[in-house]
Amino acid sequence: MSSSMSYWMLTSARYSIAALQRGRRLYSRYVLSRSPSKWKPFLQGPPALRDEVLRGGLALPKACRHISTEEDFNLQLSPAQVNEVLRAGELVYQPLSLPGGAPNPVLRFESNQLAANSPVEDRRGVASCLQTSGLMFGIFDGHGGHACAQAVSERLFYYVAVSLMSQQTLEQMEEAVENMKPLLPILQWLKHPGQSIYEDVTSVHLDHLRVYWQELLDLHMGMGLSTEEALVHSFQRLDSDISLEVQAPLEDEMAMNLSLQVAFSGATACMAHIDGIHLHVANAGDCRAVLGVQEDNGLWSCVPLSCDHNAWNPAELSRLKKEHPASEDRTIVMEDRLLGVLMPCRAFGDVQFKWSQELQRSVLDRGFDTEALNIYQLKPLHYYTPPYLTARPEVTYHKLRPQDKFLVLASDGLWDMLSNEDVVRLVVGHLAEVGGHNKSDLAQGRTNLGLMQSLLLQRKARGLPITDHNAATHLIRHALGSNEYGEMEAERLNAMLTLPEDLARLYRDDITVTVVYFNSDALDAYYKGG
Amino acid sequence: MFYRWLSTVRRQSTHPAWQKWPSARSSTSAAQAHSVALPAQARVVICGGGIMGTSVAYHLSKMGWKDIILLEQGRLAAGSTRFCAGILSTARHLTIEQKMADYSNKLYQQLEQETGIQTGYVRTGSISLAQTQDRLISLKRINSRLNVIGIPSEIISPKTVAELHPLLNVHDLVGALHVPEDAVVSSADVALALASAASQNGVQIYDRTSVLHVMVKKGQVTGVETDKGQIECQYFVNCAGQWAYELGLSNEEPVSIPLHACEHFYLLTRPWESPLPSSTPTVVDADGRIYIRNWQGGILSGGFEKNPKPIFTEGKNQLEIQNLQEDWDHFEPLLSSLLRRMPRLETLEIMKLVNCPETFTPDMRCIMGESPIVQGYFVLAGMNSAGLSFGGGAGRYLAEWMVHGYPSENVWELDLKRFGALQSSRTFLRHRVMEVMPLIYDLKVPRWDFQTGRQLRTSPLYDRLDAQGARWMEKHGFERPKYFVPPDKDLLALEQSKTFYKPDWFDIVESEVKCCKEAVCVIDMSSFTKFEITTTGDQGFEVLQYLFSNDLDVPVGHIVHTGMLNEGGGYENDCSIARLTKRSFFMISPTDQQVHCWAWLKKLLPKDSSLSVEDVTWKYTALNLIGPRAVDVLSELSYAPMSPDHFPSLFCKEMSVGYANGIRVMSMTHTGEPGFMLYIPIEYALHVYNEVMSVGQKYGIRNAGYYALRSLRIEKFFAFWGQDLNTLTTPLECGRESRVKLEKGMDFIGRDALLQQKQNGVYKRFTMFILDDHDTDLDLWPWWGEPIYRNGQYVGQTTSSAYSYTLERHVCLGFVHNYSEDTGEEQVVTSDFINRGEYEIDIAGHRFQAKAKLYPVTSLFTHKRRKDDVELSDLHGK
């Protein structure tokens, strides 16, 4: 455990030092490049810069050239290289049928990730519960570093899985720990080969998880929590554990530094739990889950299964106002950001928005090298009645029907670029393209050689469309390469992908997409079989 | 296991012959299949019921072996054999391949009569078209080789082509090769017929039985684990086609069988308006990358495209064969090429495009023989899409190999042991077969080097030499410099440099050779295989004396040239051995001997610890200092006298060179020129090289490559194992009697055969030919494999050739036979027979006069050296 942890610390420290040096040398750029992120450490960042950039298309990169590193700006990628870059994070998985031979309602899922931050701050997770049934998909969008997103992506599913366990299973778990016997397996992870290794629950984390299930045991609930309760409890419990871990004195400096980084960075989370026809989506922050539905008349529509928790959500605004004194009504959200700093209004970590100033000071004064750990010590103005931020998720329940074809989970990097409708339209188009490949215009009937040749030559002259086999890649390609009319522009895509590291974040955010396909036949069978 | 998928392959429609087999079940139901128990033991288990497996079974049973079991995971003849295009063509580039195809042709022709199973054999003949003059030269070379082994063939004009095949467009042709006895046949039916005949001879055939892995104990096959139980056996034959690689890897100690599948497409059409007669000849348009044969009144046409699609890289459970999809876009260039060749086919209706994966090997030659690590583990696979043509002959050679211990022909070019474990990486195979598959129809020119899968093994000096203009060739994965391009000179681009005539590097190599003769050159020869052999006592030494044909009991510091012979007296290896101490020896063998020699030694070494062998190839960098000034360079670097008095020829001493200690210096150069080989522990390589180059400057030192070495050794009549020598040539046949301890009363392997040969005379003789009326600038260059004519009669083929800058003539080396004019039987070849003939070498149909020599033309070379020096290095040099 410690070796991979130390490696992690080392890399994050290295990055932070690099960022620091860069920041000092090129102060203005530092401000600029940070400003469109969810974090806004300095209030004077130009507002809405990113929107302008997007509207301006490719004109702006040239204007910005003087502040960029000179060399790699004119780099051109070949189409094959573009594909390689886009496909590096691909992950496809086809879950096996359920025990007992019932077809799995999840046909397969396709996922992909493209980084803009360096290192990438998004995380994703897919795992199946081994003690209860169900498959979990999560998207975790970190800000102010990737520590929190990493921790949440590693730990959240364990909390959910434990919350869903029956009293009996929990007792078995407790007994196993007490008698030093091997623990029942909780989760099976399905992950990208290049994805950083999910630490199996480390000892400290396991202790906390154990405290949690002990509390659950004390509730004497027999069959466990309902899925909705389980999700809400898990989110909140994990967030409070994150917050408490850094307050408790720990001997191990490494572990302490890590929990500090986790607590002082933040992550929004959106996860889906699918058990048979029961789909729950829990969301805290601005990731989004959208369902693609094909009505019986063949038309497609999109059903959002989560609400973004940000300043553009009136319900969130009124919640915030209700939770804080009326005197803060004007200061609680400024420039569409929480306290003028943070974009999402719900998130894990970010104790700067949760703890009292005194607590923050007392923790940080314990002699951490905050600069090396890349921790933002910001003091938001008008910080009167913390907490301002919560990790409590909004849970949506949806009963899956045969009409429901797929679910798209993605970080806001995608939703900034594409609307819900665009996304559903693109996935549907992708499905048709992949399914109909090679069948479309090469007639199956009786053809002669001459006709076939001319047909093939036509196709060749037209240039074959580049097909992504992965729907997530297809979405990312279009998110980056589509112009304002929704048409693909190869140059635009190329330019977006060749942005130098320090500029990339200006034009695009980390994008993580997971597309889950449902098996209509299996869903049908659920309804018919009762 | 992953083998099971093939059972889902489309079923062969029940063949009438199927039920007739006494031992095979009519396996129509799976339940029935399970009820039949496998025998508990057998002598041979063959895995694979394609054409290769059935052919091996057929020949083994014909040769009288009993207790043979053939296992097939799906149905017989269901893999590539089933989808094969069914063209049997003898127009091959290698003589051994021509012989295999010729035998197959004769075998298949009579198979219907023998078994009563229709094989669809039709003698259609084949026409190989040439669109360019270079292609025509290539065809002419094939033609002259086909004729001497008795296969009728001729070069025909485009007009004759049009007469033979009326649908062909011949306007862009310059000629063609017509082989009238080539045939088409249904390969699946041939496999079934072979299986049926084998089964009548007692071979037991079980289908729907997968081999999981082969059981091995102490490096010897002991049995086979199948999904239906175990079978004990002594021999296992891997004929698993494109799965042979995976099957080899499934062993506990993996057997590396380097092959890889690519998708291969061919087109089937409905019958032509007036259906094509079944005797329509098969057409191969290599420049257009396609082949065309008649098929049920229509045509079957496929090809080998420039951009192949490798498949099954991750193993077989990734994709299923029925999932293989047609890819019309991929086929378009071949279709266009077909319509260019036969424009009238435009209206021909398509039936389907078949995707049938074919297996390719890293050097485009098939793989046969025994595994170097597991005794009794035989392989026959990797047919490079010529499985049908080779099936009969290859099966026969492998059966002979198993029964007699060696095949009746030299098959070193096809031997599994030419590869090492280094060619078994999936990435390497995937990349290499993408080059090999197009090469099938590319022009095959002399001195072709593969471009992919390179820079795997390199000398530590690679970068230094590369920066000085080295151009590289690869042998056994090792990069070797060919020659060094001077900074002021440009060579042609790769494509343009392909030629059958005088190559563009001619002048470069000339200056390197000249420098070797007059000053000193350094050649990096690190690729040579190097073994260290240590004995613990006299017993071990006696074993060595038995293994090697020359006397190793020489004083410490001496080098012995010796062969390692087989029972027949043929060369298994040709090496130089330096006695380092009383008990340890340093053995230098050709590069491609690394696996072969190791396997040979391992087979014969005593099981106790009296002898130990270590492969130290990777530990030493070898520099060859060739030339009269090598002495000066070395003595200046070592402050030791290097003159012949202090350091006689064929002597080995560990000494310091520059700052580096422990350099093994040997007074031999593998060329017959004066000079030294330095075996340098690799960490000193750069230092020694730098010192040699800087000290050598005043003596005119320069880098040289293998082409210079080759020219030097061939003009000195030095035979090279793998090219000139093989397991069927004996020391007596190449004038190396002095390298054999026949007179010393010691026993060694092959002694009896040699004694007999000495008494009876030899049936072939290694001879050197100097081309007389050959114009180096204008005439086609010899390569190897050119027929040799004596007084107008065919007497053999050349084995290697080079231009001698000293003689200013081309020199060819080759074996001369004496075939009886009446019976064709081989007769004794005497020196007289050699000396009393008028010789001609046939290069692509043009015969050049040649002078035959049995001994090197020493007078030309002695002007600078003393007599005893010459004798030692010339007769004993390699």
Side-chain angles (χ1 to χ4, degrees), chain B residues 11-170:
Chain B
R11 287 203 181 173
Q12 171 89 17
S13 60
T14 318
H15 197 280
W18 192 268
Q19 268 87 8
K20 278 195 253 162
W21 302 346
S23 61
R25 307 135 293 119
S26 58
S27 32
T28 39
S29 80
Q32 216 178 335
H34 283 292
S35 64
V36 180
L38 291 177
Q41 59 186 59
R43 190 170 190 187
V44 186
V45 172
I46 301 168
C47 171
I51 195 150
M52 290 302 149
T54 54
S55 172
V56 172
Y58 172 88
H59 286 100
L60 277 179
S61 63
K62 275 259 155 127
M63 295 165 96
W65 273 28
K66 301 290 173 217
D67 278 343
I68 301 164
I69 294 178
L70 189 149
L71 304 177
E72 161 59 44
Q73 57 182 348
R75 298 285 299 251
L76 282 182
S80 292
T81 300
R82 168 151 179 69
F83 295 107
C84 165
I87 298 169
L88 199 158
S89 160
T90 49
R92 303 279 159 193
H93 287 274
L94 293 179
T95 301
I96 185 74
E97 291 181 342
Q98 293 175 347
K99 284 181 178 166
M100 290 199 296
D102 185 40
Y103 174 81
S104 303
N105 196 349
K106 291 179 175 128
L107 175 72
Y108 301 162
Q109 193 183 9
Q110 54 84 43
L111 208 53
E112 192 166 327
Q113 204 182 359
E114 183 184 341
T115 62
I117 295 173
Q118 291 189 350
T119 55
Y121 182 94
V122 183
R123 179 163 281 181
T124 58
S126 74
I127 311 171
S128 305
L129 309 179
Q131 292 185 25
T132 64
Q133 286 297 343
D134 272 349
R135 176 71 62 182
L136 193 60
I137 292 168
S138 178
L139 293 175
K140 280 177 176 169
R141 291 182 62 94
I142 293 177
N143 180 53
S144 57
R145 288 206 220 177
L146 279 175
N147 288 333
V148 298
I149 62 166
I151 302 172
S153 66
E154 60 175 334
I155 296 293
I156 55 176
S157 67
K159 206 176 140 200
T160 323
V161 173
E163 284 162 16
L164 285 168
H165 200 312
L167 288 176
L168 283 178
N169 166 24
V170 296

Side-chain angles (χ1 to χ4, degrees), chain A residues 446-447 449-450 457 459-460, chain B residues 329 332 346 348-350:
Chain A
R446 294 166 76 110
T447 323
L449 292 176
L457 289 175
R459 272 165 69 119
K460 196 168 159 188
Chain B
D329 295 304
E332 181 275 322
E346 271 201 341
L348 197 55
E349 245 177 57
I350 295 169

Side-chain angles (χ1 to χ4, degrees), chain A residues 222-235:
Chain A
M223 287 316 294
L225 298 166
S226 73
T227 312
E228 182 166 353
E229 286 169 330
L231 288 166
V232 173
H233 282 211
S234 308
F235 272 62

Side-chain angles (χ1 to χ4, degrees), chain A residues 121-133:
Chain A
E121 291 180 352
D122 276 9
R123 290 294 182 274
R124 58 189 155 158
V126 183
S128 57
C129 303
L130 293 177
Q131 299 306 322
T132 56
S133 54

